[in-house]
Amino acid sequence: MTRAQQKVRERLFAERAGGLLGQSWTLGGDRENPDFLVDCEGHIFGLEVVQIFAGRASRKGSAIRQQEAARHEILQRARRRVGELRPGELRVQVVGAVTDEIVDQLADGILEYDIEKMSPGTRFTVTGGGAKAYVTRAFVSDWFAVADRVGWVGRDPVPAIEAALLSKKDKHTAYRAVAEDIRVLIVADRTQNSGKLVLEADTRLDVKPFRAAYFLSYPDSLVVL
């Protein structure tokens, strides 16, 4: 994911958090340290957004997230190839292993269909390399591995949340040069397997030196820490 794509995601998360709080958050332009200056009905505060993930992590980050990203890139390359040869938006759900070789076989199978002439909602299935792709003619393109969007929901994200807060603590002084009120938004993106984390609503953590911290289990749950 490019930095520009990451900022789009951060803005999406921040806007959703404000909505779940029932507050009117107007986000300023993209920036760093903190990620946004937010106008909440005339009060300005700095907001730093940090994403956490389920599973084991190394110095390079979440192992699950790295695997998701690798599969995502393979599928996006296939999406672009199919789109160049057979224009038309498709929702492609892949069940099975996702490798360059297997996805190329699935893409070849999709290319056998006259996508441009299909009506939205038309469905078909292709197989290749032991994997299967469930394809739907759609209004918006969406290629993904089903394994990356299903899985158990973790219910103890507190260690990851505390680690995220600690990782930002040393930057608090730099953040304060921009705004007196600095807050942190910690996000688990539950639309991906790597982000399937939820937190009990009554959980309270020590968020000092930040004025406030929030945990967003995107897209529909927010806890004020």
Side-chain angles (χ1 to χ4, degrees):
M1 182 181 295
T2 67
R3 187 57 189 157
Q5 291 170 329
Q6 180 65 27
K7 295 305 291 187
V8 169
R9 297 290 292 169
E10 289 175 355
R11 183 174 292 274
L12 175 69
F13 296 145
E15 290 174 343
R16 183 58 177 156
L20 289 171
L21 285 167
Q23 298 176 356
S24 176
W25 285 10
T26 301
L27 276 59
D30 293 346
R31 49 166 294 120
E32 301 293 338
N33 298 323
D35 291 309
F36 300 104
L37 286 178
V38 182
D39 184 335
C40 181
E41 301 176 356
H43 176 71
I44 305 297
F45 64 88
L47 184 70
E48 181 71 6
V49 182
V50 56
Q51 199 167 349
I52 63 172
F53 304 95
R56 293 179 294 104
S58 66
R59 290 182 179 179
K60 295 181 179 180
S62 163
I64 295 176
R65 181 57 186 150
Q66 290 172 27
Q67 293 164 8
E68 286 179 351
R71 288 188 287 267
H72 176 78
E73 182 56 34
I74 290 170
L75 289 167
Q76 297 319 299
R77 284 198 295 268
R79 177 187 61 79
R80 290 190 291 269
R81 179 165 78 90
V82 170
E84 290 172 359
L85 297 172
R86 291 284 195 184
E89 305 300 321
L90 297 173
R91 176 180 170 86
V92 180
Q93 305 172 75
V94 177
V95 177
V98 175
T99 67
D100 285 308
E101 181 179 357
I102 290 172
V103 173
D104 280 345
Q105 292 180 40
L106 294 174
D108 289 341
I110 293 172
L111 286 169
E112 294 179 5
Y113 290 81
D114 195 346
I115 296 166
E116 285 186 277
K117 294 182 179 179
M118 290 182 178
S119 300
T122 302
R123 294 182 173 88
F124 61 93
T125 304
V126 299
T127 59
K132 183 176 290 188
Y134 296 91
V135 185
T136 306
R137 185 70 160 91
F139 292 106
V140 178
S141 180
D142 188 16
W143 292 49
F144 63 91
V146 171
D148 290 337
R149 297 199 181 178
V150 299
W152 296 102
V153 175
R155 296 187 176 276
D156 185 22
V158 170
I161 292 172
E162 290 180 331
L165 286 168
L166 184 62
S167 74
K168 299 299 179 181
K169 185 176 180 179
D170 290 343
K171 296 182 179 181
H172 183 259
T173 300
Y175 299 156
R176 286 282 298 277
V178 177
E180 185 73 16
D181 181 346
I182 300 296
R183 309 180 189 187
V184 179
L185 174 63
I186 300 166
V187 181
D189 182 1
R190 231 169 54 244
T191 65
Q192 296 290 321
N193 201 25
S194 60
K196 290 191 180 298
L197 298 168
V198 296
L199 185 68
E200 297 298 327
D202 60 353
T203 302
R204 294 294 179 268
L205 301 176
D206 181 4
V207 302
K208 294 177 182 178
F210 301 103
R211 181 71 60 85
Y214 314 98
F215 174 67
L216 172 64
S217 185
Y218 182 83
D220 56 12
S221 172
L222 185 133
V223 177
V224 180
L225 301 173

